Structures are given as C-alpha cells and as structure tokens.
Amino acid sequence: RRLAETALCPEDVRAAQACLGATTAQLGSGWRVRPFGSISNGFATHSSDLDATCCRDPAAAAGARQPDSDSHTMLEDMVSALQEHPQFQIVEEVKAARIPILRMKFAPRAGLTLDVDLSFQNTEPLPNTQLLRAYSALCPRVRDLGILVKLWAKASGV
C-alpha cells in the first residue's frame, strides 16, 4: 500500500509530457528533447524530477549550430530560449559539471510544479533508461523493487 502512495498520478505524467513539448517548442525546430531516468524507465514516484537532454536533430537546418558545439555555449542558448517561456523558471545553471545542467521548475498550471534537469547532448543515460524500462515491463515486481530501492536510498541519504 505504501508503495502505491508514492506512485505517479496521471497529472504527473501529463506535466512531464507538457514540459517536454514546451521545451521542444521553445527551442525550435532542429531540436529533440529526450527524457531519461526514472520518469522514463518506470521507477518514478510522485516526487520524481524530469531528467531530459536536448539533442540537435541530425536533419537540422544547414545554418544551425552543429552538434559538436561547446556544451556550455549551447547551455547559454537554452537559457536564453527557455527564459522567455512563462511556465519555466530557471533555478540554477550548473556549468562546472562534466555535463552542464540547467535546473528548472516547470509550472503547467497554478499549484503544480515539476522539477526539471536539462542537459545538452547527454546521450549516455539513454540506453540504460531503455534497459531499465524493459526490465520493469517484464514484471511489475521489478518496477516495485526499483522504486523500493530508490525510496530506501533517499531515506538513508545514499
């Protein structure tokens, strides 16, 4: 029962989908926003954040900045674009990390806020997310175990 209390509700899922759509729309054509982590792999709880990475679409317009551009420069471009959107609030720019992260809050409506960690060209976690999603799809107990481990780690400060 307690596990069920932590589960994502449909409103959480809609908020994540709305955030991905708004991010893609705000960044413009030529961008793909790909979620990863617990919201994508099935181990999310009601308090989970949304982890996503922005990738240049290989078929992007010829005049667009190329995917091998400096990730710090691209982070600045993302900040400029996303600050213009009324549902996004930039909380922190983590520039010193190996992969720069833009921490934001997304508010699709009053009273509902989703924490978002947005990176650029960070495709490394995508295969792991797919693998964990496949495991959780095989058996609901795998998903439950993953969530229990996640909750235990959070409660233990791990």
Side-chain angles (χ1 to χ4, degrees):
R1 268 185 274 219
R2 297 193 87 206
L3 189 58
E5 293 170 9
T6 67
L8 283 180
C9 66
E11 190 172 38
D12 296 327
V13 174
R14 284 192 297 275
Q17 291 169 338
C19 180
L20 293 169
T23 303
T24 302
Q26 197 66 18
L27 293 176
S29 64
W31 287 97
R32 293 182 63 205
V33 181
R34 300 186 63 191
F36 61 90
S38 63
I39 284 185
S40 292
N41 66 24
F43 297 165
T45 63
H46 181 64
S47 63
S48 292
D49 68 347
L50 172 63
D51 298 303
T53 188
C54 297
C55 301
R56 275 305 214 170
D57 189 335
R65 189 177 311 232
Q66 296 302 308
D68 60 350
S69 294
D70 176 66
S71 58
H72 290 87
T73 302
M74 297 311 294
L75 178 70
E76 290 301 320
D77 291 347
M78 285 192 288
V79 169
S80 297
L82 293 169
Q83 281 178 328
E84 297 173 9
H85 195 287
Q87 293 175 312
F88 287 107
Q89 175 191 355
I90 308 296
V91 174
E92 180 183 13
E93 296 176 49
V94 183
K95 297 178 181 180
R98 181 177 64 87
I99 297 186
I101 302 286
L102 182 59
R103 294 190 193 281
M104 307 182 296
K105 292 196 178 290
F106 177 73
R109 64 167 181 76
L112 179 62
T113 303
L114 176 66
D115 292 329
V116 181
D117 289 344
L118 192 63
S119 60
F120 173 72
Q121 295 292 107
N122 180 24
T123 57
E124 290 178 19
L126 298 175
N128 186 51
T129 296
Q130 292 172 339
L131 181 63
L132 291 173
R133 183 176 40 232
Y135 289 156
S136 67
L138 285 174
C139 177
R141 290 180 291 179
V142 172
R143 180 189 165 279
D144 292 347
L145 178 61
I147 291 172
L148 286 171
V149 168
K150 180 179 171 176
L151 294 172
W152 168 82
K154 187 173 184 176
S156 300
V158 176

